[in-house]
Amino acid sequence: MIRLANLTLRRGPKIVLQGTTLTLNPGEKVGLVGRNGAGKSSLFALLTGRLAADAGDFAIPPRWRLAEVAQDMPETDQGATDFVLEGDTRLMEAQAQVDAADASGDGHAIGDAYALLAEVGAYDARPRAQAMMLGLGFKGHQLDAPVDSFSGGWRMRLQLARALMCPSDLLLLDEPTNHLDLDALVWLEAWLQRYEGTMLVISHDREFLDAITKVTVHLDEAQLIRYGGNYSSFELMRAERMSQQQAAFSRQQDKVAQLQRFIDRFKAKASKAKQAQSRVKALERMEKIAPVLTSADFSFEFKEPQNLPNPMLVMRDVSCGYAQPEGEPITIVRNVTRSVQPGQRIGILGANGQGKSTLVKTLARALAALGGSVTEGKGLAIGYFAQQEMDLLTPDSGPMEHMIRLAKQVSPNAREQELRNFLGQFRFTGDMVHQAVGSLSGGEKARLVLAMLVWQRPNLLLLDEPTNHLDLTTREALSMALNEFEGTVMLVSHDRALLREVADEFWLVTAGGVQAFDGDLDDYQRWLLDQSKAQAKAY
């Protein structure tokens, strides 16, 4: 088991854990949750030995084999499958033993080494690795492509596959879904549900946590609090706990006020001095119950659109893709004929690489249509959230500079103090409004893009993976804001909780086209699993 007893952990001057105690049993699947910056990744660093405890006791079984997703981006021309296979540390050790035995010429050693190689599953390791890669969204022709031919997000998928290949006793996953589309996420869930070791996962995806965890550990105020149950169960139990704490705090404050009134009234009277002094001591001894500050203290709303064109836009035989400086353009999606009406809530589904982002970029005017026509309704005002936030931001400019430039375009009369107050609603306060965007965290950049969207007062929101860097609290705020938005929403997301709460119809981008998907998100997940099985069999 993993045991922390009265443990204190610092990261520089910051106290991450302060005298906390926690026990995790073998085979438990644990979701580690807490605010951004609370220290969840620091706890992982403690478990892996990269950080040492400053006080208290920490114990982990010494024989446990640990696996985690490396965060570095590998630069190598090694084939993708070979790279993933190296994650199987037992296989690599057995292969090294075979090489040493072959070199020695010792017949007994050679026999033992090859027996070990068979025992660790060497002869089906390559098919297992490739099945894992296919599940994570790689295509057959990519399985042996050089690692450095892939983009950063795909290399992180290779790192995830490499970690899953390791026959581990403890698996640590820090935001494993960040670079995954919904199809790969569904496959990963099914894989992790079968995993037999102890698992700790940090994630801001509520449905992912609900599907794979049975225990939730909340890191809050430098303490680890264990809850039996998945994330939804944790929310209910924590709400009850906070309600009780708030009631206890209120009772304590009444008692404090009563004692203070007695002290103030009688401290000057000699006959009551002793009693007043005893009240002072009682006040000092009284346990301070911290005021309850709920983590759901961030909220925002989209302004009412100035008008709602009907229809919002109409696509006729539209082809989407990328023009080439030389040669033929690359067409991803073709022959799209659909209309978008005011008030629609459309979730855009489709496997990775099918063209969801390309379609959204075309509607957002970030890409020109390669063919056909997109007719916009009079007064259409588009608010676009790009999958890569930096596509919409300038690295050297601060939030205030972004807002000033935006205000000049859409509201020239806005005053700087008004913009500063507005940014404060999105947690940009003080000197932070002038901090270069390039130095902000992913979550802070995403909040800035949301702030800019709200200011534009759109009537059509085009959102491409808006939750990639948002914590659970901000995701909840976004969901509430979208549900109250009176305009039209078109949403690409692998966050199923957001899709369920916001979308009431779905478009499926597949086989180079766009069609209505007749079903809900559960139907789509079943469809994805069927497609994945068919692909694995075909391969």
Side-chain angles (χ1 to χ4, degrees):
M1 68 175 63
I2 299 172
R3 188 175 64 86
L4 285 65
N6 200 27
L7 186 136
T8 295
L9 177 67
R10 296 174 184 269
R11 191 116 195 204
K14 180 182 178 180
I15 298 177
V16 177
L17 299 173
Q18 179 72 59
T20 195
T21 296
L22 176 72
T23 298
L24 299 177
N25 300 308
E28 287 188 323
K29 295 180 178 179
V30 182
L32 178 60
V33 301
R35 287 188 179 209
N36 283 347
K40 301 185 293 295
S41 296
S42 297
L43 178 58
F44 273 23
L46 172 73
L47 295 173
T48 58
R50 296 192 297 272
L51 284 181
D54 293 276
D57 297 320
F58 166 63
I60 187 171
R63 293 182 179 275
W64 272 16
R65 196 177 292 256
L66 186 147
E68 65 171 336
V69 180
Q71 296 302 308
D72 61 300
M73 294 289 185
E75 292 287 349
T76 174
D77 60 2
Q78 183 180 22
T81 299
D82 291 334
F83 178 79
V84 170
L85 276 171
E86 287 185 354
D88 189 336
T89 52
R90 285 198 308 174
L91 176 61
M92 294 299 104
E93 291 163 5
Q95 186 60 58
Q97 192 169 323
V98 165
D99 295 342
D102 284 342
S104 72
D106 183 333
H108 287 296
I110 292 172
D112 290 343
Y114 277 94
L116 177 61
L117 200 63
E119 183 181 320
V120 299
Y123 303 112
D124 69 346
R126 194 172 190 84
R128 283 190 288 114
Q130 294 186 333
M132 189 172 293
M133 293 168 66
L134 291 170
L136 289 173
F138 290 88
K139 305 301 181 187
H141 68 273
Q142 297 177 304
L143 296 178
D144 291 309
V147 169
D148 54 15
S149 69
F150 292 99
S151 66
W154 285 98
R155 291 189 206 182
M156 289 311 298
R157 292 196 195 204
L158 287 174
Q159 292 285 35
L160 175 58
R162 188 175 165 115
L164 299 183
M165 275 299 293
C166 180
S168 58
D169 303 291
L170 174 62
L171 178 60
L172 302 179
L173 297 174
D174 190 347
E175 297 291 358
T177 67
N178 266 4
H179 300 282
L180 301 184
D181 285 337
L182 194 51
D183 52 335
L185 196 156
V186 170
W187 177 89
L188 179 62
E189 270 182 13
W191 194 95
L192 292 175
Q193 286 166 350
R194 298 191 301 270
Y195 178 69
E196 295 180 354
T198 303
M199 180 180 72
L200 269 78
V201 57
I202 299 169
S203 177
H204 292 135
D205 187 323
R206 163 195 305 276
E207 290 210 14
F208 180 69
L209 288 172
D210 277 351
I212 65 168
T213 64
K214 303 293 186 201
V215 174
T216 301
V217 172
H218 185 211
L219 175 50
D220 186 44
E221 302 294 336
Q223 293 294 311
L224 294 171
I225 306 167
R226 177 187 168 111
Y227 294 81
N230 61 17
Y231 184 81
S232 291
S233 299
F234 151 74
E235 272 196 323
L236 293 173
M237 289 185 282
R238 183 168 180 249
E240 177 63 24
R241 177 179 182 151
M242 292 175 73
S243 176
Q244 294 171 353
Q245 186 179 357
Q246 182 66 63
F249 178 69
S250 297
R251 289 194 298 271
Q252 184 207 43
Q253 292 303 101
D254 291 343
K255 183 67 174 176
V256 166
Q258 181 183 356
L259 289 171
Q260 192 62 55
R261 285 195 298 271
F262 186 93
I263 293 166
D264 293 342
R265 183 180 177 188
F266 295 115
K267 63 184 176 183
K269 290 191 176 182
S271 60
K272 296 284 188 179
K274 252 186 193 179
Q275 289 171 289
Q277 189 58 36
S278 72
R279 300 301 197 280
V280 170
K281 290 180 179 178
L283 202 57
E284 291 171 351
R285 286 196 305 268
M286 184 179 289
E287 181 184 2
K288 298 295 188 292
I289 301 172
V292 176
L293 298 175
T294 70
S295 59
D297 55 1
F298 173 66
S299 63
F300 70 97
E301 61 182 8
F302 291 97
K303 299 175 184 177
E304 181 183 353
Q306 293 180 329
N307 65 335
L308 292 173
N310 189 8
M312 288 279 182
L313 54 83
V314 176
M315 292 170 277
R316 292 187 179 89
D317 293 321
V318 171
S319 294
C320 308
Y322 299 86
Q324 299 294 304
E326 298 178 5
E328 291 294 316
I330 300 173
T331 302
I332 310 295
V333 182
R334 52 177 53 83
N335 302 326
V336 182
T337 299
R338 302 197 70 81
S339 63
V340 179
Q341 307 299 323
Q344 279 188 290
R345 298 287 195 274
I346 302 168
I348 302 176
L349 306 174
N352 181 70
Q354 293 296 308
K356 302 185 298 295
S357 293
T358 307
L359 173 65
V360 171
K361 285 180 181 178
T362 303
L363 297 180
R365 311 174 190 130
L367 288 175
L370 298 180
S373 64
V374 179
T375 304
E376 298 181 353
K378 186 179 179 180
L380 181 69
I382 293 175
Y384 173 46
F385 189 111
Q387 185 169 356
Q388 303 297 328
E389 296 98 335
M390 290 310 296
D391 291 350
L392 306 172
L393 302 174
T394 305
D396 297 332
S397 299
M400 179 61 80
E401 290 176 77
H402 281 83
M403 289 302 302
I404 289 173
R405 283 197 294 265
L406 179 62
K408 285 179 180 177
Q409 298 173 23
V410 300
S411 48
N413 296 325
R415 299 185 306 276
E416 184 171 326
Q417 186 60 49
E418 183 182 358
L419 297 176
R420 182 182 287 273
N421 294 343
F422 179 75
L423 283 170
Q425 297 173 30
F426 289 83
R427 295 179 178 163
F428 295 103
T429 57
D431 293 339
M432 196 176 180
V433 300
H434 299 299
Q435 184 177 337
V437 162
S439 67
L440 297 178
S441 70
E444 289 163 344
K445 292 171 189 170
R447 287 206 310 274
L448 177 56
V449 173
L450 288 174
M452 293 169 68
L453 286 184
V454 170
W455 189 268
Q456 291 173 58
R457 202 167 182 173
N459 48 34
L460 171 61
L461 285 172
L462 300 173
L463 308 177
D464 190 358
E465 298 290 1
T467 64
N468 270 355
H469 301 289
L470 299 181
D471 59 24
L472 280 159
T473 299
T474 312
R475 290 184 185 208
E476 291 291 340
L478 174 61
S479 175
M480 291 177 65
L482 290 175
N483 277 319
E484 294 170 3
F485 178 57
E486 295 183 12
T488 298
V489 178
M490 299 182 72
L491 171 65
V492 176
S493 180
H494 65 260
D495 185 330
R496 286 159 299 173
L498 184 66
L499 282 169
R500 288 186 201 279
E501 291 163 8
V502 172
D504 51 27
E505 62 180 292
F506 296 101
W507 289 4
L508 178 61
V509 183
T510 184
V514 178
Q515 63 192 53
F517 182 77
D518 185 17
D520 59 17
L521 214 49
D522 293 326
D523 295 322
Y524 178 64
Q525 289 185 206
R526 285 190 287 271
W527 181 83
L528 281 176
L529 289 172
D530 291 341
Q531 294 288 309
S532 178
K533 289 174 185 175
Q535 182 185 22
K537 285 180 182 177
Y539 182 76

